[in-house]
Amino acid sequence: PYDFMVDSGLTTEMITPHLKDVLGISVGGKRVAGLSAGGSSSEALVDLEGASLCCGKFAKDSELKLPKLHAVITDFPQEHIDPNHDVEGMIGMELLSLFDVEFDFPKNRIRFWRPGTAN
């Protein structure tokens, strides 16, 4: 498993160049132009197939398979915000829109609910 940050203002997912290399994702000719806090950019866009959500204290042996997602490959300052903990990407609205999402800050967790189900 890899750790990701959540950014509800991000349109699609982001992954680091390091994670792209580890997963062996090849970059085709797809590029996406956009705006970020750092200004305009043009970054590689890749398909993420076979991704899943997993882990946590309450779900160690379970995972939720996800449909094909898309990710921009880019460096971002938050990647090394904690020197003892690398963040390999950011989850954006493409993934969040698949679920009803509960941010439980007092319990320091995020819950993903499938729309129309009790779990």
Side-chain angles (χ1 to χ4, degrees):
Y2 299 96
D3 291 327
F4 282 69
M5 296 176 73
V6 175
D7 184 344
S8 62
L10 188 63
T11 305
T12 189
E13 282 56 60
M14 284 174 43
I15 62 172
T16 63
H18 172 257
L19 184 58
K20 174 197 71 80
D21 294 341
V22 168
L23 297 177
I25 297 172
S26 63
V27 177
K30 291 186 209 174
R31 296 196 76 73
V32 63
L35 294 173
S36 67
S40 298
S41 67
S42 175
E43 306 291 344
L45 180 67
V46 296
D47 293 335
L48 292 179
E49 297 190 59
S52 60
L53 295 174
C54 73
C55 309
K57 290 186 284 188
F58 54 91
K60 286 184 181 177
D61 296 324
S62 65
E63 65 181 73
L64 175 62
K65 300 282 185 201
L66 297 170
K68 180 172 74 171
L69 299 169
H70 304 90
V72 172
I73 300 170
T74 187
D75 290 313
F76 54 96
Q78 299 90 337
E79 178 180 359
H80 303 292
I81 203 164
D82 178 348
N84 299 317
H85 189 162
D86 285 335
V87 174
E88 293 291 352
M90 297 178 86
I91 293 172
M93 284 307 297
E94 181 184 29
L95 186 145
L96 294 174
S97 68
L98 299 173
F99 302 95
D100 292 332
V101 182
E102 175 187 0
F103 292 88
D104 188 341
F105 294 104
K107 292 184 180 174
N108 197 28
R109 70 178 182 189
I110 301 172
R111 296 179 74 185
F112 293 90
W113 300 88
R114 291 184 185 131
T117 65
N119 57 14

